[in-house]
Amino acid sequence: MKACKSGIDFGLYLVTDRFLAGGRTLEQVVRESVAGGVTVVQLREKDAGAREFLDQAFVLRQATLELGIPFIINDRVDIALACRAEGVHLGQEDMHCALARRIVGKDMIIGVSVSTTHEALEAEADGADYLGVGPLFATSTKSDALPPTGLGVLQSIRRAVRIPLVGIGGINYTNAGDVIRAGGDGAAVVSAIIASPNPEMAARALRSAIDEARQFRDGIL
């Protein structure tokens, strides 16, 4: 596997959803979850206008800078550039990865959501730095999610590409280790942390499962 630029650890990748935060601010949830072991934060705002999205992006950009955590913007290349995020994550219906690369330059991280080996190979060829693979398991977090792919697709994509893979979709502490053992470099979670009454404890449980699976995979345990 080719290491991602800047040596980013994708182990526990938090994707935000303010509607699941239970009245708490995203900044509060992010700070608590990072204390529990989150390694990357992605701001996803599907229903916010541009100004609201940008305001939230600046708040979390400052928080992640203070916490020393990479910050990724979902979908919006313009907002990623405006708040100087480390990266942008693109879906199959968003701006094409090759075009985004021309706009953001060589230094910004670009992630692409994929659910097939063909999509993965195309994204890698177009300059993606990592791939979000899924949905691996059934999820209610994203209303337009595809049917779950299962871990077999993740294993096939792992054999086909060299860039880091982050599994997403229905991941919690009971199956996060399976994602790593199947070839994932990290697990992306939404509700398992955001909706938890204690994001720090939820993140800690997930991180423990991920780290243990990494150790087994790497022959340390």
Side-chain angles (χ1 to χ4, degrees):
M1 184 201 78
K2 182 176 72 174
C4 183
K5 64 182 64 168
S6 304
I8 286 181
D9 178 5
F10 289 102
L12 182 51
Y13 186 127
L14 177 65
V15 181
T16 69
D17 186 326
R18 57 193 167 106
F19 297 109
L20 294 175
R24 299 164 297 183
T25 66
L26 285 181
E27 181 183 4
Q28 176 187 349
V29 174
V30 164
R31 288 184 180 276
E32 291 179 14
S33 63
V34 170
V38 160
T39 59
V40 179
V41 172
Q42 179 192 128
L43 175 60
R44 185 166 71 185
E45 286 287 354
K46 292 295 187 181
D47 299 312
R51 184 170 297 180
E52 184 181 14
F53 196 157
L54 189 57
D55 287 345
Q56 184 66 78
F58 277 119
V59 170
L60 292 189
R61 165 74 292 191
Q62 183 59 40
T64 52
L65 282 172
E66 293 171 7
L67 295 165
I69 295 296
F71 185 48
I72 310 291
I73 295 292
N74 181 263
D75 294 353
R76 296 290 297 269
V77 171
D78 55 339
I79 291 177
L81 288 168
C83 73
R84 298 185 178 181
E86 276 82 12
V88 63
H89 189 89
L90 304 171
Q92 288 297 311
E93 302 302 319
D94 297 325
M95 182 183 294
H96 198 280
C97 179
L99 176 57
R101 176 60 70 202
R102 291 201 294 272
I103 293 171
V104 305
K106 62 181 177 62
D107 294 327
M108 183 174 282
I109 296 161
I110 298 179
V112 177
S113 294
V114 301
S115 58
T116 68
T117 301
H118 173 76
E119 291 173 349
L121 287 167
E122 182 178 55
E124 182 179 45
D126 287 340
D129 296 298
Y130 76 94
L131 304 175
V133 182
L136 298 181
F137 310 105
T139 176
S140 59
T141 301
K142 193 174 179 184
S143 59
D144 59 348
L146 296 169
T149 64
L151 293 173
V153 168
L154 177 62
Q155 292 170 324
S156 296
I157 291 174
R158 174 72 290 155
R159 290 192 292 268
V161 304
R162 298 179 62 242
I163 57 178
L165 305 181
V166 179
I168 190 168
I171 296 173
N172 54 50
Y173 77 93
T174 67
N175 58 24
D178 295 332
V179 174
I180 304 304
R181 285 185 286 269
D185 299 282
V189 300
V190 187
S191 60
I193 290 178
I194 299 288
S196 171
N198 191 323
E200 181 176 349
M201 286 185 63
R204 200 174 299 281
L206 279 153
R207 182 63 183 272
S208 178
I210 289 166
D211 288 347
E212 182 177 352
R214 282 176 161 180
Q215 291 178 317
F216 273 110
R217 183 193 63 190
D218 297 340
I220 298 174
L221 292 179

